[in-house]
Amino acid sequence: MAHGDNSKEKIVYVGDSRVRRGSGFITPPDYTAYPGKSEAFIPNFLLKEWMVGVVVLVGILVLTISEPAPLGFPANANATVIPIPDWYFLFLYQYLKLPYASGDYIVLGTLGVTGVAFGSLLLAPFLDTGRERRFYRRPIASSLMFLSLIAIVYLTNTAWTEYKHEMAETGQIPEDVQREEKAAENKAKGLPTTSAVQAKEIAIVDKDDPAMALFKQATCVTCHAVDMKGAGGPSLRGVGDTHDKEAILAIIKNGQGQMPPMQDTAMAAGLSEQDIDSLATWLAKQKSEQ
Amino acid sequence: MFKNVYNWIDERLDITPIWRDVADHEVPEHVNPAHHFSAFVYCFGGLTFFITVIQILSGMFLTMYYVPDIINAYASVEYLQTKVAFGQIVRGMHHWGASLVIVMMFLHTMRVFFTGSYKAPREMNWVVGMLIFFVMLGLGLTGYLLPWDNKAYFATKVTLEIANSVPVMGPVLKELMQGGTIVGAETLTRFFALHVFFLPAVLLILLVGHFIMIRRQGISGPL
């Protein structure tokens, strides 16, 4: 690791900034031994760099306070939202929409050009092996990079413009703006400001109806539970939302899925045809919203 | 007292050379903005690390409130955003920091590229740096889904469709990330695990490699 002045090493570093290997305690070096105005990393240089860091930190905080992080409405597979990735993926997103990078040519898009571009970036030192470091003396590497940068800027801009245009055309407002407006409106009215989906427990309709006793007597409770929330079988709370009386009667008579026909079992437990009918009527009344 | 404790540890572990190397190594004039204003381009790497530290710290505080399941994820983020003291600031720092870290890393990469600093003997450090870049993009991608709002949900759907279109590997990759046949509860927990455990672990290992290499090789000389 140590580099003397009479270096016979394979690699000679220009402006070597490493500490030479010594034995025991390393005394702070005499800076006059180095050409130019170099200085120790800690504390001299780090304090200067920290000043730059503070400016950046203040920048982030100003951004944070003036522009709160956006939050839309809860994910809903049925919502109509124009999908848009984070801004630094826009160029890739837009690129994969180009005719020769999508559809039948999608492999060219995902693996071909993208793979070659990122692959050559990853392996740049092994492709650009000349000793010249100044970019204007490396025309091929530099012009390829400039070309990529122009393409990235162009694609990002196109993607964003198209997104804005599409939003305006369909009359959509970004959801985070909508959510904030809604929250502010509700706050003014004294209503809850949340947009989160509230899990509401579905209540049993007409709990005192005699059919509730029939429900227990007919052994329905074995699978659907006494509280009707389901045990082996599904919950029957709110079953009236999806099934009418005829459908329920049919299921009792013929069974469904894992449920065997229950008509005879219910009769054996002492229910009459009419009891089953009123049980089905009552079940059909189990709607989640009243 | 402190000196005695230090000496006791130093006798056994010989830690002095480690921190003296970090503290005393010379920073040459050509990278010091105090001497050449144009040398500010050499700050981008340090700033990337600085913002990465901000991301780790703010992320740690976010996990105190965030719940990675599809019923509570949105509600917990909304609660954090609107009800928790300074929650909006912490989430804001993580949100904007995510963009800024990409910007800084991009500028750092461009500095290294246009000053030709990736050339021999620093090829390996460039490759590690590019891997850090990809991990950062992965962190951005996985973090985008976590608030579980519509924007996150539909963007992730499109991303996974794109992954699916890669030949041979695509469908496997998609199912692995998605954790099933739809973007749902499994996807959210997988992205959460990737965002909070897997990718940061890889990132830290790569960063250690990046820093050890730059200490061993020193910063590249003036052009």
Side-chain angles (χ1 to χ4, degrees):
Chain A
M1 192 169 160
H3 284 243
D5 294 328
N6 56 340
S7 183
K8 283 176 188 163
E9 291 177 62
K10 209 168 118 191
I11 295 160
V12 179
Y13 294 94
V14 184
D16 191 356
S17 67
R18 296 170 305 162
V19 171
R20 281 135 214 264
R21 178 186 289 157
S23 56
F25 188 79
I26 303 170
T27 47
D30 177 11
Y31 298 147
T32 55
Y34 293 86
K37 299 171 202 127
S38 59
E39 56 189 7
F41 181 63
I42 294 175
N44 310 34
F45 185 73
L46 196 63
L47 280 175
K48 285 172 190 158
E49 192 153 28
W50 173 238
M51 286 193 275
V52 180
V54 167
V55 171
V56 170
L57 184 60
V58 170
I60 297 181
L61 286 173
V62 167
L63 205 58
T64 301
I65 294 165
S66 63
E67 288 282 326
L71 181 69
F73 291 121
N76 175 3
N78 299 321
T80 46
V81 173
I82 302 164
I84 185 96
D86 220 349
W87 64 269
Y88 42 85
F89 287 117
L90 280 178
F91 77 96
L92 263 181
Y93 183 53
Q94 186 67 16
Y95 168 71
L96 289 172
K97 282 186 190 168
L98 294 178
Y100 282 94
S102 59
D104 295 340
Y105 301 97
I106 188 73
V107 176
L108 190 65
T110 52
L111 281 191
V113 180
T114 318
V116 168
F118 282 103
S120 51
L121 193 63
L122 182 69
L123 300 174
F126 306 104
L127 300 171
D128 177 23
T129 50
R131 291 188 69 81
E132 179 59 55
R133 282 180 48 205
R134 287 165 290 187
F135 72 91
Y136 49 86
R137 293 276 178 85
R138 296 186 280 130
I140 298 175
S142 297
S143 50
L144 280 175
M145 183 55 89
F146 277 123
L147 215 63
S148 314
L149 291 180
I150 292 167
I152 287 173
V153 171
Y154 170 76
L155 287 169
T156 305
N157 183 47
T158 315
W160 188 246
T161 317
E162 271 182 22
Y163 172 68
K164 282 279 173 203
H165 186 71
E166 215 176 325
M167 288 290 274
E169 213 166 52
T170 52
Q172 289 190 50
I173 304 163
E175 283 204 341
D176 53 301
V177 179
Q178 284 185 45
R179 186 194 66 87
E180 266 180 46
E181 279 172 2
K182 192 182 142 199
E185 249 172 54
N186 282 349
K187 197 177 178 189
K189 284 189 217 152
L191 295 170
T193 53
T194 179
S195 297
V197 181
Q198 306 291 320
K200 261 190 278 176
E201 183 158 296
I202 301 168
I204 301 175
V205 181
D206 284 345
K207 211 172 176 175
D208 303 326
D209 195 286
M212 185 77 190
L214 294 173
F215 181 70
K216 286 172 190 162
Q217 195 190 342
T219 70
C220 305
V221 291
T222 325
C223 294
H224 296 292
V226 182
D227 59 5
M228 292 177 71
K229 281 184 180 172
S235 168
L236 290 184
R237 291 200 183 193
V239 68
D241 289 342
T242 48
H243 296 74
D244 60 7
K245 188 184 161 190
E246 276 64 45
I248 292 168
L249 271 177
I251 293 171
I252 294 173
K253 223 168 258 166
N254 310 320
Q256 187 187 50
Q258 303 218 325
M259 176 177 164
M262 291 301 288
Q263 179 110 355
D264 298 337
T265 319
M267 300 284 245
L271 273 77
S272 64
E273 287 268 3
Q274 205 182 356
D275 285 340
I276 292 172
D277 195 76
S278 60
L279 179 59
T281 313
W282 177 71
L283 282 173
K285 275 196 282 181
Q286 301 298 327
K287 294 188 188 283
S288 57
E289 282 175 30
Q290 303 174 31
Chain B
M1 172 61 193
F2 178 75
K3 197 172 180 184
N4 286 337
V5 172
Y6 178 82
N7 285 340
W8 189 88
I9 297 172
D10 193 39
E11 263 169 40
R12 283 155 183 80
L13 297 177
D14 197 22
I15 55 173
T16 303
I18 301 170
W19 71 263
R20 293 304 306 211
D21 177 70
V22 172
D24 291 344
H25 75 265
E26 289 279 289
V27 178
E29 182 188 332
H30 73 280
V31 305
N32 193 334
H35 297 302
H36 302 279
F37 181 71
S38 62
F40 74 88
V41 293
Y42 286 92
C43 287
F44 294 139
L47 289 176
T48 308
F49 179 63
F50 180 53
I51 300 175
T52 306
V53 171
I54 293 179
Q55 289 304 93
I56 292 172
L57 289 177
S58 57
M60 274 156 55
F61 281 101
L62 289 181
T63 53
M64 286 181 166
Y65 289 92
Y66 182 72
V67 184
D69 82 57
I70 53 171
I71 295 169
N72 296 309
Y74 179 88
S76 67
V77 174
E78 193 192 50
Y79 177 71
L80 180 77
Q81 178 84 4
T82 55
K83 297 286 195 306
V84 177
F86 300 113
Q88 185 176 321
I89 302 288
V90 176
R91 180 161 178 259
M93 285 179 83
H94 204 71
H95 174 83
W96 291 111
S99 288
L100 276 173
V101 84
I102 302 279
V103 172
M104 289 299 168
M105 199 167 44
F106 176 75
L107 292 173
H108 175 58
T109 310
M110 287 304 109
R111 194 279 292 170
V112 173
F113 183 84
F114 285 115
T115 58
S117 303
Y118 58 87
K119 289 175 172 275
R122 298 187 176 78
E123 303 98 321
M124 273 163 65
N125 218 5
W126 168 271
V127 172
V128 169
M130 285 316 300
L131 294 178
I132 292 175
F133 205 127
F134 296 147
V135 170
M136 286 287 194
L137 289 179
L139 280 164
L141 192 79
T142 48
Y144 202 62
L145 177 70
L146 300 186
W148 199 249
D149 60 0
N150 273 327
K151 192 168 75 165
Y153 178 81
F154 286 99
T156 303
K157 255 185 146 171
V158 172
T159 309
L160 291 173
E161 279 314 311
I162 291 172
N164 192 35
S165 64
V166 175
V168 191
M169 282 292 291
V172 181
L173 195 69
K174 182 193 171 195
E175 197 157 330
L176 187 71
M177 292 211 290
Q178 199 168 248
T181 48
I182 54 157
V183 175
E186 280 282 314
T187 321
L188 184 63
T189 47
R190 283 192 186 197
F191 274 47
F192 176 74
L194 284 173
H195 187 77
V196 175
F197 296 106
F198 290 81
L199 292 176
V202 176
L203 179 72
L204 288 178
I205 291 167
L206 290 172
L207 280 178
V208 168
H210 206 61
F211 293 152
I212 287 177
M213 273 192 260
I214 195 165
R215 270 315 300 128
R216 290 194 82 88
Q217 300 179 318
I219 200 159
S220 62
L223 285 171

